[in-house]
Amino acid sequence: MDERLKDFHLRIQKIGSVEREVNRGIEFVLVIEGKLTIETSNRIYQMKEKDLLVINRNELFEMHGNKENSILRFTISDTYMEQSYKEYRHQRFECFSQDVDIGRETLIDQLRTFFGEMVITYFRKDDIYTIEMQRLVSEILLILIRRFKEEGNALGQLDTEDDRLIQLIDYMERHYQEQITLEQMAHKLYMSPGYLSRYFKKKMGVGFSRFLMDIRLKHSVKDLLYTSDSIASIAMNNGFPNAKSFTILFKEIYEETPKVYRDRHIKEKVNIHHTTNIKGVETLTNSSSIFLQLGSMLAETNKTYSNTETRYEELHIDASVPSKDKITYPDHVLIIRELKELLKEEIREQVLVVKDELRLSYIGIQNLVSSASFLPTVETDEAIATSSPYFKADMAINFLKKHDLAIFSRVSYQDISMDEASYFKKLDGFLRHCLQVYGESYVSKWRILYYESQFTAVDSKELRRMYTKLYSSIKKIVPGIHIGAYLPYSYKEEDISERHRWILEEDERIDFIGFHANQNEVIDFEDTSNDPFLLVKDYIKEKTNKVKYFLKQHHIDKPLHLLTWNTLSGNTRYTNGTFFRGALVLKSAWDISNDVESLAFWINTELHEVDDQHHRIQLEGMELFHFFNGKRPAFYAMLFAEKLSGSIIAQGPDFIMTEYERGYQLILMNCINVNPYYSIEDAFLKKLNKDIRVIISGLKHGEYQIRKYTYDKDNGALYTNWWNLGSKHGVDSEIADYINRLSHPSLQIFDETLDGDWSFYSYLTINAIHFFDIRKSYMK
C-alpha cells in the first residue's frame, strides 16, 4: 500500500483458521460471503453474510471459517488512532451488526457502504485513491466514535510499545488455564517479583493476580453461555483451583451465581473445539466475483451519505451561428427471431410502440424459410387446396405490410447447407408465393443478409459458391431485393480472415455490407482494472470508421448496416442492470448516424436470451423491452434521438444543440466508460457525476416554455425500480405494471424570458441524459 496509507491494512481473505492472537489497532471484519466464527476472550461471534464486527485494540481473538467464505478485514493502527483521537486509549467500541439497537441499522448500512467503496477505491488505484482512502477512514471513524464508543478497560489502555508488558499479557491470555505465578513470570522477564508487581499495578491499574483472575473469569463466562459443561468443569478448565473459588469471584463481579447467570443469558451452543476444511488464510485477489458478491450485498443497504465530490464544467454555446448540418436518421431494424413471433399479441404491441415512437423500417428474422414459421405440406385430393404451408407466415406478413414494415432476414451458411436442395426449393416457392400475394413493390423492399461467422471451418471457395447461388436464385425471382454479406472484420487485426476474403471480390453481386460492433467483445471482465474500459470509449465509432476505410482500400462503396451492437454492459444480468448506460447508447447511435444505413435492435430480453440454446446472458444486441413490457435504456435513449429535430447549431462529445421550427433543443450527456462492476457502489459512481454550467448566447428574444426531461439511474431506469419494488416471493403483472408506470424520464417545466444570453446549471449523474426542449411561446 502507498506509504501515506501505512497505518491502514485492507485485505479480502478466505479464512479457514486464524490462530489465537492479540489484535493490534482497530480491526473491522465484514463477511462478504459464507460464514465465520470469531472467538474473543469473553464471547463467540457467529457471523454470516453482511455481518460486521469491530475487534478492539489488545483484544485476543481467533477465527474459524467455512471453505466458501470471503472476508473483508480492515485494520487501523494504534499510531493513527492515537494521533487522530486523543481519547482512543480510554475508549472501546461495541459494534456487532447482529446486536445493534433499533434505529442504528442505517449506521451499519453506512459502514458497509463505505467499505464497499473502499474496496473499489483501493483496487482501482486512480491518482487520488490515497486521498479517497483517507476520506473513507475518516467517515468510518466518525460513525464509530460518535455512535459505538464505550468506556475502555485496563487492557485497552495498555501501551502497545511496551514489549515486556505485551509479552506478559500475551502469555497470560494464552496460558490462563494453567498455574501462573508472579514469581514464574518475573523469572521469564528477568525482573524481580517485587518490581514486576509494582510495575504491573502502575501500568494496568490492577494487581497481577486480580488481572489474571479477570482473564480466567472472562473465559469462564464464555463457556457458561456457549457450552453445556458443568460449573465444576468450567472452573477447572479455566484455571480456577475449584468451583467454590470460581463461584465467589463470579458472584462478586456479576452479583449472581454462575447457574443463575447461565439460565438468564444462555446462548446457542457452539463447539469451541473447531474443525475446518481449510487451514490458515488465503488472500483473494480483486476478482470480478468479489465485486459481484459485494455489490449484491450493498444493493440492499440503506445508502444515505451523499457528500461526495463531482466534476464541474462550463459549456458555452453560440446559438447565433447559422445552422449547418441536418440530422441524419438511419433506418431501424427490430429483430424478433422468427416470423411466427408476430402471431403473439404482446410482440405485435411492442412492434407498434417502436413503430410509433422510434420509427421502424424493418423486422429482423433469422431465417427467411424457417420451418417454425411454415406449416408442414400435406397431401390432399382437393382440386384447389384449402390449406397452405404459408398460413402462419402470411398472417405475420399481413401485419407487416399493413404497417409498412419490411423484412430484414439473416440467412446463414448453416441454414442452407443442412439440406441445400430442399432449402432452395422452399425459398423459391416462398418468394413466388409472396410475389403473388403481396406484389413485387413490397417484396422488393426486403433485405437478405448472407451470414457466416468469423470463426468458420468452411473454406472460402465454398462460402463464395453458396452466396452466388443464393444471390442469383433470389434476384431471378425478385430483382429488386437487396442482398448483402456479413463482414466479420477484426478490430484488433484490422482485417478479415482468409476464408472471408471472397467478399472483396464480389463487389458486383453484393448490395450492402453488414457488420457488428460490441464493446463487450474487446473487454476481459476478469480484469477489474479500469484502464481497458477507458480505451474502448469510442469503440463503436472507431470500428465503423475502420470498416469504411477497409472497404475503401478495396474499392468497395456499399451501404453499411450495423446488425448487432452494444455498449459496455457487464457480463451478467446483474451488472447489465445496475450499470446505467443511457447516454452511452445515445452517443454511440448518434456518432454513427451518418455512416450506417440501419441500426438493429432486439425486441426484448426474453426472446434474446432464449435465442441461445444454453440460455446464457446475451451481450451482443440492444434490447428495447424487458419482461412485462418494461422499456429498457436503449428504448429511451433512442426516443431522445428521435425527438431531436431541425438543424444542428453546435455539438461536442457530450452535447448536441439544434434549432427547429418551435425553438431550440439541447441534449446534455454525461458519458462515462467505466468497469460495470464499479456500478455496484453508488458512492463511487457519485464521483463521476457532472455539475455543468451551460451558457447559451445568441438566442432569439422572446418568451419560452422550457421542458426538461431527465433520464438517469433514478429517473426512468427500469432496473432501479425493480430493485426497490422487488420481492423474494416474486413479481406478478400487477407489480410489473406499476414498475413500468414509474419507469419514465422525469419532466420539469420552466417559463423563461430569454434575450440573447441564458445560463443554467445541470447536474448529471453517470451516463445521464438531460433533454431540453426550448419552445418559443406565442401566448400574450
Side-chain angles (χ1 to χ4, degrees):
M1 189 176 282
D2 188 289
E3 177 63 19
R4 290 167 291 181
L5 302 179
K6 65 181 183 302
D7 291 313
F8 312 136
H9 187 199
L10 174 68
R11 62 272 199 208
I12 297 176
Q13 298 176 329
K14 185 183 295 292
I15 294 178
S17 63
V18 174
E19 297 302 323
R20 188 176 299 176
E21 64 183 56
V22 175
N23 185 46
R24 301 288 182 254
I26 297 291
E27 177 162 331
F28 297 82
V29 181
L30 176 63
V31 179
I32 300 173
E33 185 182 40
K35 295 180 180 180
L36 181 70
T37 298
I38 297 181
E39 185 176 349
T40 65
S41 301
N42 58 356
R43 180 163 179 185
I44 298 175
Y45 298 90
Q46 300 270 55
M47 301 179 69
K48 58 184 184 303
E49 184 175 303
K50 296 200 302 181
D51 274 342
L52 176 68
L53 173 69
V54 173
I55 302 176
N56 285 277
R57 73 185 304 265
N58 292 340
E59 191 163 15
L60 187 76
F61 72 97
E62 60 183 288
M63 298 181 179
H64 302 275
N66 64 352
K67 63 182 179 180
E68 297 85 11
N69 66 31
S70 301
I71 311 298
L72 182 154
R73 298 176 67 185
F74 181 67
T75 306
I76 305 175
S77 74
D78 281 330
T79 302
Y80 182 89
M81 291 299 300
E82 288 168 350
Q83 291 174 349
S84 304
Y85 181 47
K86 66 180 182 179
E87 293 298 312
Y88 170 58
R89 286 180 176 271
H90 305 289
Q91 308 289 344
R92 57 181 284 105
F93 307 101
E94 290 296 329
C95 181
F96 180 43
S97 54
Q98 293 183 22
D99 290 349
V100 294
D101 296 331
I102 295 173
R104 285 195 168 185
E105 301 95 333
T106 55
L107 297 174
I108 298 295
D109 283 348
Q110 289 171 6
L111 289 172
R112 291 191 190 105
T113 300
F114 288 134
F115 282 118
E117 185 181 357
M118 181 181 287
V119 170
I120 293 173
T121 299
Y122 177 69
F123 285 126
R124 188 165 179 254
K125 283 186 170 62
D126 61 14
D127 56 344
I128 58 168
Y129 99 98
T130 55
I131 298 174
E132 278 296 313
M133 290 289 291
Q134 290 165 345
R135 177 188 69 82
L136 288 165
V137 170
S138 297
E139 297 274 17
I140 289 166
L141 289 180
L142 282 173
I143 293 175
L144 194 67
I145 293 169
R146 288 173 176 171
R147 302 299 180 89
F148 294 101
K149 71 179 178 181
E150 294 187 359
E151 288 300 318
N153 53 30
L155 187 61
Q157 298 175 31
L158 177 64
D159 184 0
T160 56
E161 301 301 320
D162 191 330
D163 290 334
R164 289 186 301 179
L165 204 54
I166 290 293
Q167 183 182 350
L168 175 59
I169 300 299
D170 184 62
Y171 184 89
M172 295 168 75
E173 285 280 5
R174 292 177 185 275
H175 300 276
Y176 64 89
Q177 304 102 322
E178 304 167 12
Q179 183 178 359
I180 300 176
T181 65
L182 179 67
E183 291 74 12
Q184 177 188 0
M185 297 311 302
H187 178 72
K188 281 182 174 291
L189 297 174
Y190 304 100
M191 302 167 67
S192 70
Y195 180 80
L196 176 58
S197 178
R198 294 190 299 274
Y199 181 81
F200 192 96
K201 181 72 179 284
K202 178 181 178 182
K203 288 287 186 177
M204 302 303 296
V206 64
F208 175 88
S209 297
R210 185 53 187 257
F211 186 84
L212 176 59
M213 297 303 283
D214 286 342
I215 290 177
R216 289 169 172 167
L217 189 63
K218 285 190 301 182
H219 288 278
S220 300
V221 170
K222 183 172 61 178
D223 288 356
L224 273 176
L225 297 179
Y226 295 99
T227 76
S228 300
D229 295 347
S230 67
I231 303 297
S233 294
I234 291 173
M236 297 298 291
N237 291 339
N238 287 284
F240 290 93
N242 51 55
K244 182 179 180 181
S245 62
F246 167 58
T247 301
I248 292 173
L249 179 62
F250 192 98
K251 195 171 181 179
E252 176 187 336
I253 300 300
Y254 293 98
E255 299 182 345
E256 56 188 4
T257 65
K259 183 179 184 308
V260 172
Y261 185 91
R262 167 183 267 179
D263 292 341
R264 293 201 318 115
H265 300 92
I266 191 69
K267 303 287 186 182
E268 180 181 349
K269 297 296 182 290
V270 175
N271 178 17
I272 293 182
H273 303 289
H274 302 274
T275 59
T276 181
N277 293 326
I278 58 174
K279 303 296 182 183
V281 174
E282 174 188 355
T283 299
L284 302 178
T285 59
N286 53 328
S287 67
S288 59
S289 63
I290 293 297
F291 284 112
L292 194 61
Q293 294 156 6
L294 195 60
S296 178
M297 178 180 68
L298 293 176
E300 301 173 11
T301 63
N302 189 356
K303 304 181 181 76
T304 58
Y305 271 51
S306 59
N307 58 331
T308 48
E309 75 283 5
T310 59
R311 294 172 295 140
Y312 175 78
E313 295 181 7
E314 284 194 357
L315 173 63
H316 295 263
I317 301 174
D318 186 356
S320 65
V321 176
S323 300
K324 299 177 292 185
D325 301 324
K326 298 290 183 181
I327 298 173
T328 303
Y329 297 99
D331 290 327
H332 290 160
V333 180
L334 187 59
I335 302 172
I336 64 167
R337 194 171 58 170
E338 294 179 350
L339 269 176
K340 70 181 181 69
E341 300 296 339
L342 286 172
L343 304 182
K344 300 175 182 177
E345 190 60 34
E346 178 188 7
I347 298 298
R348 290 191 174 198
E349 290 174 0
Q350 292 178 351
V351 167
L352 293 180
V353 168
V354 178
K355 170 75 175 176
D356 292 341
E357 299 193 45
L358 301 186
R359 280 185 315 104
L360 186 59
S361 304
Y362 298 97
I363 293 296
I365 60 175
Q366 292 187 356
N367 187 348
L368 190 60
V369 291
S370 168
S371 58
S373 298
F374 290 179
L375 294 174
T377 303
V378 296
E379 294 187 9
T380 177
D381 59 358
E382 300 170 297
I384 299 176
T386 57
S387 63
S388 168
Y390 309 122
F391 178 73
K392 288 195 294 186
D394 282 348
M395 291 180 66
I397 297 174
N398 286 336
F399 172 80
L400 295 180
K401 189 168 188 287
K402 177 182 177 181
H403 297 286
D404 194 26
L405 297 171
I407 289 175
F408 195 120
S409 177
R410 188 186 83 173
V411 176
S412 72
Y413 173 84
Q414 299 297 329
D415 293 335
I416 306 173
S417 62
M418 284 189 292
D419 189 340
E420 185 176 334
S422 174
Y423 184 89
F424 280 105
K425 182 178 179 181
K426 285 182 181 179
L427 180 62
D428 185 276
F430 181 59
L431 289 177
R432 292 184 187 279
H433 167 79
C434 291
L435 282 177
Q436 181 69 38
V437 177
Y438 305 108
E440 186 174 357
S441 62
Y442 175 68
V443 180
S444 294
K445 295 179 181 178
W446 295 4
R447 299 287 184 268
I448 310 294
L449 176 81
Y450 178 70
Y451 177 88
E452 180 65 7
S453 69
Q454 179 178 0
F455 306 103
T456 179
V458 186
D459 65 39
S460 179
K461 185 181 295 185
E462 171 62 9
L463 289 175
R464 184 174 189 174
R465 179 193 72 81
M466 195 70 84
Y467 176 79
T468 56
K469 183 175 181 179
L470 178 71
Y471 184 89
S472 59
S473 298
I474 296 175
K475 290 286 188 175
K476 181 174 65 176
I477 304 168
V478 193
I481 285 185
H482 287 210
I483 304 171
Y486 171 69
L487 186 77
Y489 179 82
S490 169
Y491 181 84
K492 293 181 179 179
E493 301 296 330
E494 298 188 351
D495 203 350
I496 59 176
S497 69
E498 286 297 323
R499 296 178 185 271
H500 290 88
R501 298 197 75 80
W502 64 268
I503 296 173
L504 306 178
E505 301 168 5
E506 284 289 346
D507 182 43
E508 294 299 320
R509 284 186 285 196
I510 292 178
D511 298 325
F512 66 90
I513 293 291
F515 72 108
H516 91 180
N518 179 3
Q519 283 181 311
N520 295 295
E521 70 187 0
V522 290
I523 289 293
D524 176 9
F525 284 100
E526 293 304 312
D527 181 359
T528 53
S529 64
N530 202 46
D531 292 345
F533 297 86
L534 299 176
L535 293 175
V536 298
K537 182 176 66 136
D538 298 314
Y539 171 79
I540 295 173
K541 173 66 173 176
E542 290 175 358
K543 183 166 185 179
T544 302
N545 287 336
K546 285 186 175 185
V547 168
K548 287 175 61 178
Y549 180 71
F550 176 78
L551 293 172
K552 185 177 180 180
Q553 284 181 310
H554 293 86
H555 311 290
I556 298 175
D557 183 16
K558 300 291 180 180
L560 295 180
H561 294 255
L562 185 51
L563 308 170
T564 54
W565 61 293
N566 209 345
T567 65
L568 288 175
S569 63
N571 59 345
T572 67
R573 184 185 287 178
Y574 177 73
T575 52
N576 187 280
T578 58
F579 182 51
F580 182 78
R581 53 201 177 103
L584 295 182
V585 177
L586 175 56
K587 177 173 169 53
S588 297
W590 176 263
D591 283 346
I592 60 172
S593 59
N594 291 317
D595 302 313
V596 298
E597 190 168 287
S598 76
L599 278 174
F601 300 88
W602 266 92
I603 190 166
N604 60 44
T605 300
E606 181 179 9
L607 282 184
H608 195 194
E609 292 186 0
V610 170
D611 179 58
D612 186 272
Q613 61 178 337
H614 301 295
H615 292 226
R616 65 180 176 83
I617 302 298
Q618 298 276 349
L619 296 175
E620 71 276 14
M622 289 282 188
E623 301 120 342
L624 298 181
F625 297 93
H626 194 44
F627 298 94
F628 295 103
N629 291 320
K631 294 173 181 174
R632 298 203 62 186
F635 184 95
Y636 285 117
M638 298 311 299
L639 183 63
F640 287 120
E642 292 301 312
K643 286 177 70 71
L644 203 62
S645 60
S647 300
I648 301 170
I649 295 176
Q651 61 179 316
D654 288 341
F655 79 95
I656 309 155
M657 185 168 183
T658 67
E659 182 177 6
Y660 76 126
E661 61 177 356
R662 303 194 65 174
Y664 306 92
Q665 291 178 323
L666 173 65
I667 289 181
L668 300 176
M669 297 172 284
N670 182 25
C671 298
I672 300 293
N673 285 268
V674 66
N675 187 336
Y677 280 103
Y678 294 156
S679 67
I680 65 177
E681 181 44 62
D682 190 55
F684 165 72
L685 294 182
K686 288 177 180 176
K687 300 177 186 60
L688 305 177
N689 296 346
K690 178 167 68 174
D691 192 14
I692 182 170
R693 185 188 183 204
V694 181
I695 303 128
I696 306 176
S697 60
L699 293 170
K700 295 175 182 177
H701 173 76
E703 298 288 329
Y704 288 84
Q705 181 192 74
I706 300 168
R707 306 181 181 195
K708 178 186 177 182
Y709 295 89
T710 299
Y711 184 49
D712 59 20
K713 183 178 180 181
D714 300 312
N715 296 276
L718 185 67
Y719 206 78
T720 301
N721 290 324
W722 273 90
W723 263 112
N724 294 338
L725 293 169
S727 166
K728 67 179 181 180
H729 303 296
V731 175
D732 57 22
S733 59
E734 180 182 0
I735 298 173
D737 288 343
Y738 181 72
I739 290 172
N740 293 341
R741 288 196 299 272
L742 289 179
S743 302
H744 289 271
S746 65
L747 172 64
Q748 295 173 278
I749 306 293
F750 309 94
D751 294 332
E752 293 282 344
T753 300
L754 303 181
D755 186 12
D757 292 344
W758 178 45
S759 67
F760 62 92
Y761 289 87
S762 207
Y763 182 76
L764 293 94
T765 58
I766 179 173
N767 290 321
I769 300 171
H770 289 187
F771 184 99
F772 295 84
D773 194 351
I774 308 166
R775 295 188 179 186
K776 189 168 184 178
S777 173
Y778 296 95
M779 303 294 291
K780 291 185 179 180

